[in-house]
């Protein structure tokens, strides 16, 4: 069981890190998409005014029905991010497009969005795979408890 | 390039430049999406995620205004704590838990405290219902009603003056925040002792949820009960824990 837990903890750590980057990418993509609509006259509010609308998730989606998305204990803390700066996701997130938003044109914003979406799709796919591993290990831990009861207390 | 962000910090901290401040808010705003998404887990449907985000943005702006870049700390860690604090503060201030449910929860908690003191252990559902003079089904309906309000909400409901939310007290198996971990060490030990003294079923639900990170559905499969029953047991366990830690 301890070995199962350790493998699960490592899968959770990677899942946590991927989820964090994924949410950063989502925020960035949705902000730039709003800015494009604003420049095209489809939105009247400024980015700052519309922030809650831009960053909130669409209520429910089909998430409520999908079996795997049930309440679980999550901690809202910054995950340990190894090797920051070396990876592709850090490059796309590191650029500070919001420092020079009014100096760049629409095509550059469209290009930035396309680059972010490409990285986001890869990260979401990796996340799905790690979640499948984490869920299998969670099931194995659950089975151990069901068959053997609680051998040693993990609560310390 | 990341040095442009440093340039924003320099300009904002040196001259208070509003445009630099807005650039920083936009650059770090996805952190609010991350925190609001996670604090929102288990909250009831009537809490709008866009509201959580707007409370979180005030926390982010506060963090940007107060941050001192020269001290060499990581802004993201500081910002996430301020964002989380701002959302939880606002959740505690809101009176979104129906009064009747809040009153019922108080009544159950009071009865539990009396029985725990008398029996020196957590009462069974039957003992609790008997003590309150209500049928067992009514008690379980009341627990179900309280638990459907969501898992974080339970703490908020039982301590409106702002006691530490369960989510802040439980050890984070990922161990990301060493300073907070050091401070919380004592609280954790008290919490662990209290959990280990709960009856088997209650202890198992808390262990599997907070320490083994299982979902309510997975815990239901281990115990052989429905997910909503797990939620009720969780609600009762948190109440019992609060009584014991409060002593
Ligand atoms: N409750 C819950 N459900 C989850 C979670 N992760 C994934 N899902 C569910 O699984 C679907 C597919 O997720 P994906 O493959 O990451 O694929 C996602 C992702 O690549 C992207 N996406 C998701 N959220 C956002 C966002 O806020 N902004 C942007 N720009 N893209 C997003 O769009 C795709 C479709 O998103 P959805 O329509 O929402 O559909 C999502 C959602 O219903 C989770 O942690 N919790
Ligand atoms: N092992 C495993 N772990 C999982 C699974 N789904 C989510 N998680 C993890 O559990 C956290 C909470 O998920 P949630 O309760 O659905 O709560 C989610 C959900 O309400 C929302 N969210 C995230 N992605 C999406 C999405 O694509 N669509 C929608 N509609 N909501 C999303 O944001 C909240 C926080 O998301 P994150 O920070 O990514 O944090 C997620 C993620 O780290 C899974 O199937 N298996």
């Amino acid at each position: 069981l301890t070995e199962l837990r350790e493998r699960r903890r490592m899968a959770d750590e990677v899942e946590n890190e991927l989820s964090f980057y994924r949410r950063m990418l989502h925020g960035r993509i949705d902000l730039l998409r709003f800015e494009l609509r604003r420049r095209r006259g489809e939105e009247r509010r400024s980015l700052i005014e519309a922030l809650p609308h831009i960053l909130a998730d669409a209520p429910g989606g089909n998430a409520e029905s999908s079996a795997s998305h049930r309440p679980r204990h999550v901690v809202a803390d910054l995950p340990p991010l190894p090797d920051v700066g070396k990876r592709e996701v850090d490059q796309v997130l590191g650029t500070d497009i919001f420092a020079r938003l009014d100096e760049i044109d629409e095509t550059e914003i469209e290009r930035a969005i396309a680059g972010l979406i490409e990285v986001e799709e890869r990260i979401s796919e990796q996340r799905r795979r790690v979640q499948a591993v984490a869920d299998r290990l969670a099931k194995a831990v659950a089975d151990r408890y069901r068959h053997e009861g609680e051998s040693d207390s993990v609560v310390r | 390039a990341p040095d442009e962000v440093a340039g924003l910090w320099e300009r904002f901290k040196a001259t208070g430049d509003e445009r630099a401040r807005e650039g920083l808010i936009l650059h770090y705003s996805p952190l609010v999406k991350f925190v609001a998404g996670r604090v929102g887990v288990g909250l009831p449907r009537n809490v709008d995620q866009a509201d959580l985000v707007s409370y979180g943005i005030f926390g982010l702006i506060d963090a940007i205004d107060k941050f001192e870049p020269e001290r060499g700390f990581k802004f993201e860690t500081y910002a996430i704590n301020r964002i989380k604090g701002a959302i939880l503060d606002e959740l505690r201030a809101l009176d979104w838990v129906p009064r009747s449910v809040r009153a019922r929860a108080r009544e159950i908690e009071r009865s539990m405290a009396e029985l725990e003191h008398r029996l020196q252990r957590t009462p069974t559902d039957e003992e609790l219902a008997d003590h309150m003079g209500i049928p067992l089904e009514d008690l379980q309906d009341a627990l179900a009603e309280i638990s459907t309000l969501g898992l974080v909400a339970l703490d908020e409901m039982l301590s409106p003056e702002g006691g530490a939310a369960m989510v802040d007290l439980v050890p984070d198996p990922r161990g990301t925040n060493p300073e907070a971990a050091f401070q919380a060490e004592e609280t954790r030990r008290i919490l662990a002792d209290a959990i280990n003294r709960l009856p088997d079923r209650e202890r198992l639900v808390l262990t599997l949820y907070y320490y083994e990170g299982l979902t309510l559905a997975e815990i239901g499969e281990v115990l052989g009960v429905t997910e909503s029953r797990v939620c009720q047991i969780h609600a009762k366990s948190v109440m019992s824990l609060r009584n014991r830690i409060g002593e």
Side-chain angles (χ1 to χ4, degrees):
Chain A
L1 190 58
T2 35
E3 197 235 328
L4 258 185
R5 266 189 208 127
E6 186 49 31
R7 280 169 55 200
R8 167 97 192 293
R9 192 192 64 75
M10 287 165 62
D12 259 3
E13 210 173 273
V14 175
E15 195 282 334
N16 225 17
E17 188 190 318
L18 289 170
S19 289
F20 174 75
Y21 276 125
R22 178 176 177 267
R23 297 311 265 166
M24 291 298 109
L25 289 162
H26 289 167
R28 198 57 69 90
I29 292 167
D30 296 340
L31 281 168
L32 290 175
R33 276 180 175 156
F34 183 90
E35 175 63 8
L36 264 191
R37 286 203 304 273
R38 195 186 67 80
R39 289 192 183 194
R40 292 171 182 158
E42 297 158 27
E43 282 288 350
R44 301 177 64 80
R45 294 170 290 182
S46 74
L47 269 173
I48 296 273
E49 281 165 2
L51 267 183
H53 164 76
I54 298 169
L55 294 175
D57 283 316
N62 62 351
E64 317 284 83
S65 53
S66 63
S68 65
H69 296 296
R70 291 275 185 272
R72 66 184 73 222
H73 173 55
V74 268
V75 184
D77 266 333
L78 189 71
L81 301 173
D83 307 334
V84 173
K86 292 204 187 64
R87 293 179 294 184
E88 182 188 28
V89 64
D90 297 299
Q91 299 301 326
V92 269
L93 281 177
T95 61
D96 183 63
I97 200 161
F98 297 111
R100 29 189 194 98
L101 208 53
D102 40 6
E103 294 155 27
I104 56 178
D105 60 3
E106 267 190 37
T107 42
E108 193 172 339
I109 293 182
E110 282 166 348
R111 211 181 307 134
I113 292 175
L116 288 165
I117 286 179
E118 206 184 302
V119 177
E120 191 279 334
E121 280 173 356
R122 227 169 303 147
I123 293 255
S124 284
E125 202 216 321
Q126 284 172 22
R127 177 180 181 258
R128 278 194 304 270
R129 267 186 279 137
V130 174
Q131 282 178 352
V133 170
D135 290 346
R136 253 197 323 271
L137 290 168
K139 215 154 181 40
V141 168
D143 283 348
R144 203 56 79 83
Y145 270 92
R146 190 169 7 165
H147 294 130
E148 293 170 15
E150 207 184 346
S151 43
D152 56 336
S153 175
V154 72
V155 178
R156 241 164 263 112
Chain B
D3 53 341
E4 287 166 40
V5 185
L8 282 181
W9 279 112
E10 270 163 37
R11 251 168 51 212
F12 172 56
K13 287 300 171 185
T15 66
D17 177 13
E18 190 52 38
R19 272 187 45 207
R21 185 174 181 253
E22 279 193 7
L24 287 169
I25 293 170
L26 292 178
H27 177 74
Y28 289 110
S29 62
L31 288 174
V32 179
K33 184 175 179 82
F34 171 70
V35 177
R38 293 201 158 193
V39 173
V41 170
L43 279 184
R45 307 277 170 274
N46 66 326
V47 179
D48 185 6
Q49 228 239 336
D51 286 342
L52 296 187
V53 170
S54 57
Y55 307 145
I57 287 167
F58 283 112
L60 174 65
I61 294 172
D62 190 40
I64 288 172
D65 289 346
K66 291 202 168 69
F67 185 64
E68 296 167 25
E70 64 282 358
R71 291 183 61 194
F73 294 121
K74 199 168 168 55
F75 176 70
E76 284 82 351
T77 310
Y78 178 64
I80 283 177
N81 281 328
R82 299 291 302 204
I83 294 167
K84 198 182 339 178
I87 296 175
L88 286 177
D89 282 351
E90 206 52 45
L91 276 178
R92 287 186 189 116
L94 285 182
D95 199 12
W96 42 277
V97 176
R99 288 218 178 284
S100 57
V101 179
R102 190 187 283 267
R104 185 71 68 80
R106 282 270 141 67
E107 196 189 324
I108 293 176
E109 192 185 25
R110 231 186 347 260
S111 305
M112 251 174 108
E114 282 163 28
L115 272 183
E116 291 211 328
H117 193 66
R118 196 194 302 167
L119 301 172
Q120 288 301 302
R121 60 173 168 77
T122 301
T124 62
D125 287 5
E126 292 77 9
E127 287 166 335
L128 192 52
D130 201 38
H131 180 77
M132 291 175 71
I134 59 176
L136 179 61
E137 305 80 63
D138 285 9
L139 170 71
Q140 291 185 333
D141 285 350
L143 278 175
E145 197 181 9
I146 291 167
S147 67
T148 48
L149 273 197
L151 300 158
V152 171
L154 193 66
D155 294 286
E156 307 310 332
M157 190 165 54
L158 292 177
S159 64
E161 67 288 352
M166 184 88 178
V167 65
D168 290 330
L169 279 183
V170 175
D172 168 16
R174 297 169 190 127
T176 52
N177 198 346
E179 310 86 52
F182 184 73
Q183 285 160 9
E185 201 49 45
E186 185 59 18
T187 319
R188 270 187 218 168
R189 208 183 43 71
I190 295 172
L191 186 64
D193 283 351
I195 291 178
N196 280 328
R197 276 183 291 135
L198 286 175
D200 287 354
R201 199 184 51 171
E202 279 76 5
R203 187 182 64 240
L204 194 54
V205 166
L206 292 186
T207 300
L208 294 179
Y209 191 76
Y210 291 103
Y211 292 82
E212 295 286 9
L214 298 189
T215 62
L216 293 182
E218 287 161 343
I219 296 170
E221 281 174 29
V222 173
L223 293 181
V225 296
T226 64
E227 186 182 336
S228 56
R229 185 72 195 119
V230 175
C231 219
Q232 286 172 36
I233 298 168
H234 176 275
K236 189 175 160 227
S237 311
V238 169
M239 277 189 188
S240 174
L241 215 55
R242 280 212 165 259
N243 285 334
R244 290 174 184 220
I245 291 182
E247 276 157 18

